Amino acid sequence: MSRFSPYDNNGGSCVAIAGADYCVIASDTRMSTGYNILTRDHSKIYKLADKCILASSGFQADMKALQKLLAARHLIYQHQHNKQMSCPAMGQLLSNTLYYKRFFPYYTFNVLGGLDNEGKGCVYTYDAVGSYERVGYSAQGSGSVLIMPFLDNQLKSPSPLLLPAQV
Amino acid sequence: MKLDTTGLESALPLFGANCQMVDGFTAAPAFELPTTLDFDGFQKEAIQMVKPAKGTTTLAFIFKEGVMVAADSRASMGGYISSQSVKKIIEINPYMLGTMAGGAADCQFWHRNLGIKVCRLHELANKRRISVTGASKLLANILYSYRGMGLSVGTMIAGWDETGPGLYYVDSEGGRLKGPRFSVGSGSPYAYGVLDSGYRYDMSIEEAAELARRAIYHATFRDGASGGVASVYHVGPNGWKKLSGDDVGELHYKYYPVTPSTVEQEMVEVSAA
């Protein structure tokens, strides 16, 4: 007797790469369930703020709910602070939002890309329950295990944990 | 189940001029639980999808000059290394550090929560810093109330307060231990071997840092789930300071340099005739 599962995996992959004064974010547009393609034209990228873009792969219904929630929180922030949210601020908001559903997770694998307060490119990568870190580049989704080694080969940057800092 | 939500309550009033609650979709002081009859079975399945990154080596010890804290930086999901640059030493506030082992999101969230809500609120309410004993106890109580719900946290709280250096081990089973030396994670047996045999109470800061670095290095050498960068922090009377962050691959060649070996016969290129 199979139990109802509230989750589904709609597949897809997302990538983000941070540059000195720019950030590129990309995703595929296939939405599938099992071996069936539901549509070839569904973007997984969503603009949250002027300098902050969210790309998520995984369960698209949870992704939609997450986008709506973050957009609404951003609107409230704008009303209260009279300015757009910065990417690092949105980064922590997303982490907390994901963790508040720790016991009924959003099945989304997110990459947040944009510009930080100094205008430098920043990419934040997340797991499904909100653990996050700022990185130079990241891929999430079904193709991440194929894309990450390629990015490591082409882009490998020194770890931010190294001290004395080796740039 | 009665969950300890002291860490989640917002400091702002629920209604009125400066409130955050708008249409009830911000900061409700509770975690949403799935409405299912079989909570444990659901969590098991949900965790399968989430696959928290684990496998780590962290250590901390008290010595004459304070507390030394060190950790690796690898996150693995099964056989895939998902990151080599995870910050496993979390800066709770300028004089207290927490280490991360177990579920990355669990550790990150609860340490952040500890620093922002618990510790800072205590400072503001009591006009003095919270002690390491107090902070670790509050964290342990919060984690205890979520016992059995699948949180995975194995952390050490290290700091310097009025009574001197303090070190506590706190985990998601509800355990809390005070001690002079701890190592947590899949690489901890290897780290303990190096740490316990080289430990003396009266070491200088450099000696203690080198001991911590070596212990992490040896754990990353043998444990597949540990690796990346070995970070070493020192907590003294003026707070914590990061001493070093070294790639463990480079540490290997520093400790065991490759000696060019003499060969009896060398192949010589024959020029094309």
Side-chain angles (χ1 to χ4, degrees):
Chain A
M1 177 69 174
S2 57
R3 226 239 309 257
F4 166 72
S5 169
Y7 297 113
D8 189 14
N9 186 354
N10 299 121
S13 316
C14 307
V15 189
I17 300 174
D21 59 350
Y22 64 88
C23 181
V24 288
I25 300 121
S27 80
D28 72 322
T29 56
R30 174 182 286 182
M31 182 165 148
S32 55
T33 170
Y35 286 124
N36 301 309
I37 296 176
L38 295 169
T39 179
R40 300 175 200 280
D41 199 15
H42 181 258
S43 169
K44 297 182 236 307
I45 300 181
Y46 186 80
K47 180 174 161 183
L48 290 172
D50 270 352
K51 305 218 172 125
C52 192
I53 315 268
L54 174 69
S56 1
S57 57
F59 182 36
Q60 294 302 310
D62 273 351
M63 184 192 98
K64 192 99 213 183
L66 193 59
Q67 285 170 0
K68 283 179 168 183
L69 212 156
L70 292 172
R73 284 302 299 269
H74 183 229
L75 195 58
I76 295 174
Y77 181 95
Q78 283 178 82
H79 290 146
Q80 290 179 338
H81 297 93
N82 204 24
K83 63 173 185 179
Q84 296 265 326
M85 245 174 126
S86 66
C87 200
M90 187 60 87
Q92 190 161 107
L93 175 63
L94 175 55
S95 172
N96 283 326
T97 307
L98 291 170
Y99 199 83
Y100 274 121
K101 293 258 288 161
R102 170 66 175 76
F103 300 114
F104 189 179
Y106 286 109
Y107 184 25
T108 55
F109 299 96
N110 306 289
V111 185
L112 194 73
L115 300 177
D116 66 12
N117 293 314
E118 293 156 22
K120 290 194 233 161
C122 69
V123 172
Y124 290 92
T125 189
Y126 296 79
D127 71 2
V129 276
S131 118
Y132 78 120
E133 56 163 328
R134 182 170 174 175
V135 286
Y137 56 88
S138 175
Q140 290 279 8
S142 39
S144 67
V145 295
L146 301 162
I147 298 173
M148 276 305 272
F150 172 69
L151 297 182
D152 285 333
N153 175 259
Q154 300 286 309
L155 297 175
K156 185 106 174 84
S157 51
S159 171
L161 299 176
L162 291 173
L163 187 81
Q166 288 143 33
V167 177
Chain B
M1 35 203 149
K2 184 81 175 74
L3 303 175
D4 182 339
T5 53
T6 51
L8 299 175
E9 278 146 24
S10 175
L12 299 174
L14 284 180
F15 295 100
N18 290 325
C19 77
Q20 292 270 41
M21 298 281 256
V22 181
D23 291 332
F25 77 100
T26 357
F31 281 107
E32 231 177 72
L33 299 178
T35 48
T36 170
L37 295 169
D38 179 19
F39 183 80
D40 292 320
F42 183 84
Q43 286 304 310
K44 234 192 200 165
E45 281 176 38
I47 291 300
Q48 283 307 308
M49 290 177 175
V50 173
K51 279 210 195 65
K54 56 185 173 104
T56 191
T57 308
T58 59
L59 60 85
F61 58 89
I62 294 181
F63 68 115
K64 183 182 58 155
E65 306 276 0
V67 197
M68 200 59 79
V69 185
D72 76 314
S73 69
R74 179 176 288 185
S76 48
M77 302 210 302
Y80 180 71
I81 294 173
S82 47
S83 176
Q84 290 270 61
S85 59
V86 178
K87 276 195 77 174
K88 295 192 188 179
I89 297 179
I90 298 161
E91 298 147 6
I92 298 172
N93 60 39
Y95 59 97
M96 219 185 297
L97 295 174
T99 58
M100 179 200 290
D106 293 333
C107 291
Q108 263 189 20
F109 180 86
W110 289 111
H111 280 126
R112 189 159 69 223
N113 186 277
L114 191 71
I116 295 175
K117 291 264 170 69
V118 179
C119 295
R120 197 182 293 171
L121 221 51
H122 178 100
E123 266 186 55
L124 292 170
N126 301 97
K127 277 205 183 147
R128 54 181 248 178
R129 288 174 174 171
I130 191 170
S131 63
V132 183
T133 316
S136 61
K137 187 72 170 184
L138 289 167
L139 178 65
N141 286 151
I142 291 173
L143 293 176
Y144 179 78
S145 77
Y146 292 100
R147 193 175 132 93
M149 296 179 69
L151 292 189
S152 174
V153 173
T155 184
M156 296 178 285
I157 306 291
W160 188 294
D161 57 30
E162 286 162 356
T163 61
L167 178 61
Y168 284 83
Y169 164 77
V170 177
D171 69 24
S172 46
E173 310 300 302
R176 176 174 166 267
L177 298 171
K178 183 178 162 77
R181 274 194 317 283
F182 288 110
S183 176
V184 183
S186 54
S188 63
Y190 309 108
Y192 269 131
V194 174
L195 181 59
D196 289 340
S197 63
Y199 176 82
R200 280 174 302 114
Y201 181 76
D202 50 351
M203 284 187 282
S204 69
I205 295 180
E206 290 76 34
E207 286 176 310
E210 186 55 24
L211 178 66
R213 200 174 299 123
R214 270 193 195 257
I216 295 290
Y217 158 74
H218 281 282
T220 61
F221 186 72
R222 288 289 175 182
D223 176 32
S226 302
V229 168
S231 302
V232 181
Y233 282 67
H234 171 247
V235 190
N238 298 321
W240 57 259
K241 181 166 184 277
K242 180 162 182 176
L243 296 181
S244 68
D246 301 290
D247 183 289
V248 294
E250 286 171 26
L251 281 180
H252 174 81
Y253 291 108
K254 183 167 151 239
Y255 295 141
Y256 303 103
V258 180
T259 47
S261 51
T262 50
V263 289
E264 286 178 12
Q265 281 192 337
E266 249 186 54
M267 293 223 303
V268 182
E269 271 217 24
V270 177
S271 52

